Amino acid sequence: MPPKQQSDVTLRNAAPEDATACGQICYDAFSVINQAHGFPPDFPAPQAAIGLLSMMFSSPDFYSVVVEHQGRVVGSNCLYERSQVFGVGPITVDPAAQNLGIGRMLMNAVMDRAKQQGAAGIRLVQAAFHNRSLSLYAGLGFDIREPLACMQGRTRERSIAGCAVRPAQTGDLEGCNALARQVHGFDRSAELAHAIARGTARVVERGGRVTGYATDLAFFSHATAETNTDLQALIASAEAFGGPGILVPERNSALFRWCLANGLRVVQPMTLMSVGLYSEPAGAWLPSILF
């Protein structure tokens, strides 16, 4: 993508060497807004954000852009493209460069890209207490789909009767993808295959067949299952949740109450938003921070 100029603001493709500056901005931006509302930061230290963006800026799975203001990098955004539905984030703007239209510029760039690539839809998860981002996304056409609770801890129940959880194998791909299509209308085969290769994916079996899977139990991972019982077995199997926690749909009151009764705590409220393809899920599920 050739650079786009808007007065003294320039949008261009991200390069791996941008990760250090953008990672620091990412850490600062989330820390400032979270602390202002009394929530813990999404990243424990700048290096965690730098490492994440270094991976994204170097991966063919992501389309990444940065904005420069007067020659200095002041923000970035990423678009996950390896699914029928694309996922946005993290989008961050330097707290010292607010009110320049940078957030809108970054969002328009990835939305234009998704349209060019023929995405069936776009989704993102935003911090529910961040009024500015909520207003920006709604103004760009995103609909609110699900209130989420980011939850952390370790369940008191360590297993669910009748359910067996084991590491996912390559042979599970077809069945898990069919389950995802049944619940959501599309699958996330590339993510699942990567998680299986990485060794983080797991499946739950009930009645001698696979009834759910999780790419991991973590902030950047998703899970899909036939029933709450299957999803509870997956959640209970985790010794710890990666990152800030798992994202539990709050409208699934039975699952949410089960998590609370099992000692999980709410870290922060979040919101799933979408443009384009969206079907009400026909099963139990946990989105990732991407969607």
Side-chain angles (χ1 to χ4, degrees):
M1 177 189 73
K4 292 183 180 179
Q5 193 79 31
Q6 180 179 307
S7 67
D8 54 357
V9 177
T10 302
L11 176 83
R12 61 171 174 80
N13 288 99
E17 54 268 26
D18 293 315
T20 299
C22 290
Q24 182 67 55
I25 290 170
C26 184
Y27 173 77
D28 292 341
F30 280 113
S31 296
V32 166
I33 189 67
N34 284 27
Q35 290 173 7
H37 290 83
F39 295 100
D42 289 341
F43 298 97
Q47 199 56 44
I50 292 170
L52 174 66
L53 292 187
S54 179
M55 179 279 290
M56 288 180 162
F57 290 177
S58 303
S59 171
D61 292 345
F62 291 89
Y63 171 74
S64 303
V65 291
V66 300
V67 165
E68 295 179 341
H69 177 237
Q70 298 178 346
R72 182 176 67 88
V73 172
V74 291
S76 64
N77 198 8
C78 299
L79 181 72
Y80 179 74
E81 300 185 320
R82 292 301 181 264
S83 175
Q84 185 180 357
V85 172
F86 290 5
V88 178
I91 173 173
T92 52
V93 177
D94 187 337
Q98 296 290 337
N99 303 315
L100 297 175
I102 292 170
R104 182 174 294 273
M105 194 174 187
L106 287 166
M107 283 301 299
N108 282 333
V110 298
M111 292 179 73
D112 288 347
R113 168 73 175 193
K115 183 177 181 180
Q116 293 164 7
Q117 296 298 105
I122 315 170
R123 300 186 190 182
L124 58 81
V125 175
Q126 66 94 221
F129 52 83
H130 192 179
N131 296 341
R132 290 185 61 152
S133 70
L134 176 64
S135 300
L136 171 62
Y137 303 146
L140 289 171
F142 281 82
D143 295 324
I144 293 173
R145 295 300 185 180
E146 190 74 39
L148 306 169
C150 178
M151 305 191 78
Q152 188 54 269
R154 186 172 184 268
T155 57
R156 296 190 182 101
E157 290 185 59
R158 304 304 303 143
S159 62
I160 301 297
C163 296
V165 178
R166 61 168 173 81
Q169 304 169 353
T170 302
D172 296 315
L173 263 173
E174 184 177 347
C176 290
N177 287 336
L179 176 60
R181 290 190 293 271
Q182 173 186 320
V183 173
H184 295 290
F186 66 99
D187 64 57
R188 299 169 73 168
S189 183
E191 284 179 79
L192 178 56
H194 181 64
I196 291 173
R198 201 171 62 236
T200 61
R202 65 193 79 185
V203 297
V204 54
E205 294 178 320
R206 182 168 47 83
R209 62 189 183 86
V210 171
T211 51
Y213 78 88
T215 54
D216 199 354
L217 276 303
F219 204 51
F220 277 89
S221 302
H222 72 275
T224 301
E226 289 184 359
T227 69
N228 280 347
T229 298
D230 303 306
L231 192 52
Q232 287 164 4
L234 289 166
I235 295 170
S237 73
E239 293 299 318
F241 303 142
I246 58 172
L247 301 178
V248 178
E250 293 175 353
R251 289 191 304 154
N252 187 340
S253 300
L255 178 64
F256 186 37
R257 281 194 290 265
W258 178 87
C259 290
L260 292 171
N262 266 274
L264 301 188
R265 68 185 188 280
V266 176
V267 177
Q268 61 173 303
M270 308 195 85
T271 308
L272 175 68
M273 305 182 74
S274 76
V275 166
L277 176 68
Y278 190 89
S279 301
E280 192 68 24
W285 57 291
L286 304 177
S288 75
I289 191 61
L290 286 176
F291 69 94

